Amino acid sequence: MQSIYRRLGAALLGAAALLAAAPAAVQAQDLAPNAMIEKVTQDVLGEIRSNRGVQAGNIAAATEAVDRVVMPHINFPRMTAAAVGPAWRNATPEQRQQVIAEFKAMLIRTYAGSLDQVGDLQVVVLPMRAQADANDVLVRSEVRGGEQPIQLDYRLQKTPGQGMGWKVYNVNVMGAWIVDSYRSQFQKEISAGGIEGLIQSLRNHNRKPS
């Protein structure tokens, strides 16, 4: 399962969440979430496959691409709070910001390291059922091009205020929700050393050579 996350993480999680690649005439917030995912996924996969640095396995180039293109369009506060679990309520504002920053850095490293493995994978977005005024939706898709289709589902929330649009806060790969997977890891660190222990563990992980 970990290898699946590494191979699909950046190209699929990030591509689906990306808003910036949509042309100015078609703003992402004007699209239904499944239509946005379908269009932007194709745009981003095309960009990844044309990036020579990513194709060469250049981690610096991949990291820059993921941070610039993907990460601004993920709901990090909600994703991080869900991954931390009950301990989030007792964390100070400063601790919360530190966990968010380190969690983001970890995701960037993980996904950047897998960008050059996208190959000829294709994402097919499945029909979506949701109320027209829904602010929280599930978009299902399949990754095709391998031996068998891979289930890939997205949870998206419509964010209010400036920059309003759909943002991803969880991803399901073959029945395993990524936030749940991180929560089990985070709970071990929190049980051993509290929130500060989790922050230090994430920092140590992010300082390791790529």
Side-chain angles (χ1 to χ4, degrees), residues 6 53-54 56-65 108-109 112-116 210:
R6 286 191 58 79
V54 170
N58 186 311
I59 293 299
T63 298
E64 189 279 332
I108 291 174
R109 285 167 55 93
S114 61
L115 276 179
D116 61 337
S210 300

Side-chain angles (χ1 to χ4, degrees), residues 80-203:
T80 307
V84 171
W88 185 257
R89 293 194 298 269
N90 297 324
T92 67
E94 182 180 1
Q95 288 174 327
R96 290 181 178 183
Q97 290 303 315
Q98 290 175 342
V99 176
I100 290 173
E102 297 297 339
F103 187 32
K104 175 181 177 180
M106 183 178 68
L107 289 178
I108 291 174
R109 285 167 55 93
T110 299
Y111 300 148
S114 61
L115 276 179
D116 61 337
Q117 302 178 43
V118 175
D120 295 325
L121 296 177
Q122 296 180 339
V123 182
V124 177
V125 179
L126 305 178
M128 187 186 72
R129 295 181 179 180
Q131 298 294 328
D133 59 349
N135 292 320
D136 193 302
V137 300
L138 173 68
V139 175
R140 301 183 182 276
S141 70
E142 288 184 351
V143 182
R144 300 174 183 176
E147 295 181 358
Q148 60 183 6
I150 296 174
Q151 175 189 358
L152 186 67
D153 303 331
Y154 304 90
R155 276 288 181 187
L156 297 94
Q157 181 181 35
K158 198 168 189 179
T159 56
Q162 186 176 5
M164 182 175 180
W166 293 98
K167 292 191 177 185
V168 168
Y169 67 87
N170 207 349
V171 179
N172 175 22
V173 182
M174 297 180 63
W177 288 97
I178 191 170
V179 167
D180 294 340
S181 298
Y182 280 117
R183 184 185 297 123
S184 64
Q185 299 176 33
F186 288 0
Q187 288 305 310
K188 295 178 182 178
E189 301 295 340
I190 293 172
S191 296
I195 287 292
E196 287 296 329
L198 173 62
I199 294 171
Q200 189 59 51
S201 176
L202 290 172
R203 283 177 178 167

Side-chain angles (χ1 to χ4, degrees), residues 4-64:
I4 292 173
Y5 283 128
R6 286 191 58 79
R7 294 184 64 187
L8 300 180
L12 303 177
L13 168 63
L18 176 64
L19 308 179
V26 184
Q27 296 297 326
Q29 59 263 37
D30 295 331
L31 296 175
N34 58 334
M36 182 270 287
I37 285 180
E38 185 171 13
K39 173 177 174 48
V40 177
T41 296
Q42 298 306 317
D43 291 345
V44 175
L45 291 177
E47 177 178 337
I48 291 172
R49 289 166 180 160
S50 65
N51 187 317
R52 294 183 179 180
V54 170
Q55 292 173 355
N58 186 311
I59 293 299
T63 298
E64 189 279 332

